[in-house]
Amino acid sequence: MTLFSRRRACQAGALAALSAAAGGLARAAQPAAAPIPLALIESLSGPFANTGEAVFRNVLWATERVNARGGVPLPGGARPLAVNRYDSKGQNEEALSALRSAIDDGARFVMQGNSSATAAVLIEAINKHNERDPSRRVVFLNYSAVDPILTNEKCSFWHFRFDAHADMRMAALMEVVRDDRSLTRAYLIGQDYSFGQAVLREAKRQLAAQRPDVAVAGQELHPVGRVKDFAPYAVKIKASGAQAVITGNWGNDLTLLVKAAREVGYDGMFYTFYGNALGAPAALGDAGVGKVVAVADWLPNLPTAQSEAFYRAFRQRFPKPADDYVHMRMQLMVEALAQSMARAGSTDALAVARQLETAQVQLAGQSGHMRAGDHQFQQPLVVGVMDRLGAPGVKFDVEGSGYGFRVVRQIAADKAEQPFTCRMQRP
């Protein structure tokens, strides 16, 4: 090779190296795909902070699953999901303020659930916002606010509920109540707001229809999140002679109620919507064995290999016993959202909402679909009875308490379905 040739070769090599380096810098300079913001509006402080944090863990885990497989596939490239937290402090006005902040921050998908009263004001606010400001429309994903009115009289195109509503849950509980032949008197107690009132109304209606031989020994509504001592209520329950309590209480209002009942020596049944978590089993201890019944969309001791693997994966991600609060419906909700974005090929709220109306998802052997007529998710329900860890059918306990829930009823989605009165107004 001549000196000239060597010089040309060196120059070519240098240019190639510079080109490769420039290409590498260009690739490095390309920004990562912008995440799709999801706004979680919940009580993250105050008496129900534990419920808000529990929801956050569920939603976070669900988004991590979507992101681990590359994010949401969209025409411009896949994008990850990001959960942004907004503290409602358990107050409707704070929730509305959080909604405004979330919209200003760019969120077009809002999640909330731990209060039907809050859900109702958010639905109204989102309806007005979307009409007034169509360029920044918002979709509301509801995972726990179960007042039936939200998908009936107050139904909205922009609202999608992924939990079974109160009437559906009550009907599932009645599958067990119907067979409890020792029951002759029941005490009804609930939180004094739209959801608690709906539960008591439906309990009376379904008892009259399915167990007319059961008398209502007493009924009571109490302030939400304000009662520190439930002993007076527990004394009334015991004095009523009721063999069972039916309640939709959740959070500390349930934990304190069952704890007070145990302390006054009440030994009747508890038919609950949420007795399977957030301290209730530990508060009852042995007194709750065979006495506490809970209805849910899924329970950890559902006897399938897929369900067991799903639950073990959650416990590996959140190993602290206090963090043990996983809900299949919240996982299916995020899967439905990701699916609908991909089908829409967009993150536009209207386009995604139209796809959400017909979403069908499955995970770990569980499946569900959205009913377009009222935006009520249809899914199987299960009923469990509290028992000691290690008892037949109780492979897993709750929150390290030594007590879990044995599945005693499985209700298929078509059996859990209820009629609706919604007259959906679509844009």
Side-chain angles (χ1 to χ4, degrees):
M1 181 182 288
T2 65
L3 177 63
F4 178 74
S5 298
R6 285 197 297 271
R7 284 176 178 172
R8 289 290 301 270
C10 288
Q11 288 171 350
L15 286 171
L18 286 170
S19 177
L25 286 171
R27 285 190 296 273
Q30 287 178 355
I36 302 167
L38 312 180
L40 176 65
I41 299 176
E42 271 304 346
S43 296
L44 300 171
S45 60
F48 295 118
N50 61 336
T51 66
E53 292 293 347
V55 169
F56 173 67
R57 289 191 295 274
N58 272 269
V59 175
L60 176 65
W61 192 48
T63 59
E64 287 174 347
R65 185 185 308 107
V66 173
N67 294 343
R69 60 180 186 249
V72 179
L74 293 168
R79 294 174 62 186
L81 300 174
V83 184
N84 299 322
R85 296 154 51 102
Y86 297 83
D87 186 6
S88 69
K89 304 180 178 66
Q91 303 296 321
N92 290 348
E93 285 304 316
E94 292 285 350
L96 291 172
S97 177
L99 173 64
R100 290 190 290 269
S101 295
I103 293 171
D104 289 343
D105 291 343
R108 299 297 175 259
F109 304 96
V110 172
M111 301 173 290
Q112 184 271 339
N114 286 348
S115 168
S116 290
T118 299
V121 300
L122 286 177
I123 289 171
E124 184 177 357
I126 288 170
N127 286 343
K128 292 178 179 177
H129 164 80
N130 287 356
E131 184 175 356
R132 184 176 60 248
D133 192 351
S135 66
R136 299 194 303 164
R137 287 171 170 146
V138 172
V139 173
F140 178 19
L141 307 174
N142 165 13
Y143 45 76
S144 289
V146 297
D147 186 344
I149 198 173
L150 301 178
T151 47
N152 285 303
E153 294 91 327
K154 291 184 179 293
C155 70
S156 164
F157 174 78
W158 304 106
H159 166 249
F160 295 83
R161 174 158 50 201
F162 286 84
D163 197 355
H165 63 59
D167 293 358
M168 298 167 74
R169 283 176 170 262
M170 186 61 70
L173 275 182
M174 286 293 161
E175 293 272 330
V176 180
V177 170
R178 196 165 51 236
D179 295 338
D180 184 357
R181 305 321 300 181
S182 66
L183 179 61
T184 61
R185 295 170 66 80
Y187 200 99
L188 314 181
I189 184 168
Q191 295 152 312
D192 193 7
Y193 74 113
S194 58
F195 161 66
Q197 295 159 10
V199 171
L200 263 62
R201 283 196 305 270
E202 188 63 11
K204 286 188 289 186
R205 189 189 73 79
Q206 292 203 28
L207 279 174
Q210 301 192 46
R211 286 295 306 273
D213 57 310
V214 174
V216 175
Q219 54 183 312
E220 190 124 27
L221 291 167
H222 62 80
V224 182
R226 297 178 187 173
V227 179
K228 305 303 181 187
D229 181 11
F230 275 86
Y233 297 98
V235 168
K236 286 185 190 177
I237 292 169
K238 185 179 180 182
S240 74
Q243 295 95 3
V245 173
I246 299 176
T247 182
N249 276 21
W250 52 275
N252 281 342
D253 282 348
L254 177 62
T255 305
L256 294 175
L257 172 63
V258 297
K259 184 178 179 181
R262 183 188 66 176
E263 289 173 349
V264 303
Y266 178 71
D267 63 355
M269 298 287 291
F270 271 87
Y271 289 98
T272 75
F273 281 24
Y274 305 109
N276 56 309
L278 295 174
L284 273 169
D286 275 356
V289 172
K291 299 284 188 180
V292 179
V293 178
V295 59
D297 52 282
W298 168 89
L299 288 169
N301 288 307
L302 193 69
T304 71
Q306 289 173 296
S307 178
E308 179 176 338
F310 167 80
Y311 182 65
R312 288 191 185 280
F314 180 83
R315 298 302 294 125
Q316 184 176 9
R317 175 63 180 86
F318 297 103
K320 294 180 181 177
D323 290 346
D324 177 21
Y325 186 81
V326 58
H327 288 290
M328 180 64 72
R329 66 180 182 272
M330 298 179 191
Q331 311 304 312
L332 293 176
M333 177 186 76
V334 173
E335 291 291 335
L337 176 61
Q339 177 194 93
S340 298
M341 289 175 178
R343 286 168 55 190
S346 170
T347 59
D348 174 73
L350 178 58
V352 174
R354 285 176 173 155
Q355 295 299 327
L356 270 171
E357 286 200 295
T358 56
Q360 296 188 46
V361 287
Q362 59 181 7
L363 180 69
Q366 296 295 105
S367 62
H369 68 275
M370 185 60 65
R371 185 167 64 185
D374 60 345
H375 293 185
Q376 171 63 58
F377 197 61
Q378 304 298 317
Q379 61 194 314
L381 297 177
V382 294
V383 181
V385 175
M386 185 173 155
D387 209 337
R388 296 179 185 86
L389 177 65
V394 188
K395 184 175 287 189
F396 302 111
D397 67 349
V398 175
E399 302 160 341
S401 64
Y403 304 95
F405 281 75
R406 171 171 41 88
V407 174
V408 295
R409 287 286 191 288
Q410 297 185 51
I411 298 103
D414 60 339
K415 298 297 183 185
E417 190 171 0
Q418 296 274 323
F420 65 93
T421 59
C422 169
R423 295 180 179 272
M424 185 71 68
Q425 299 297 314
R426 290 178 169 80

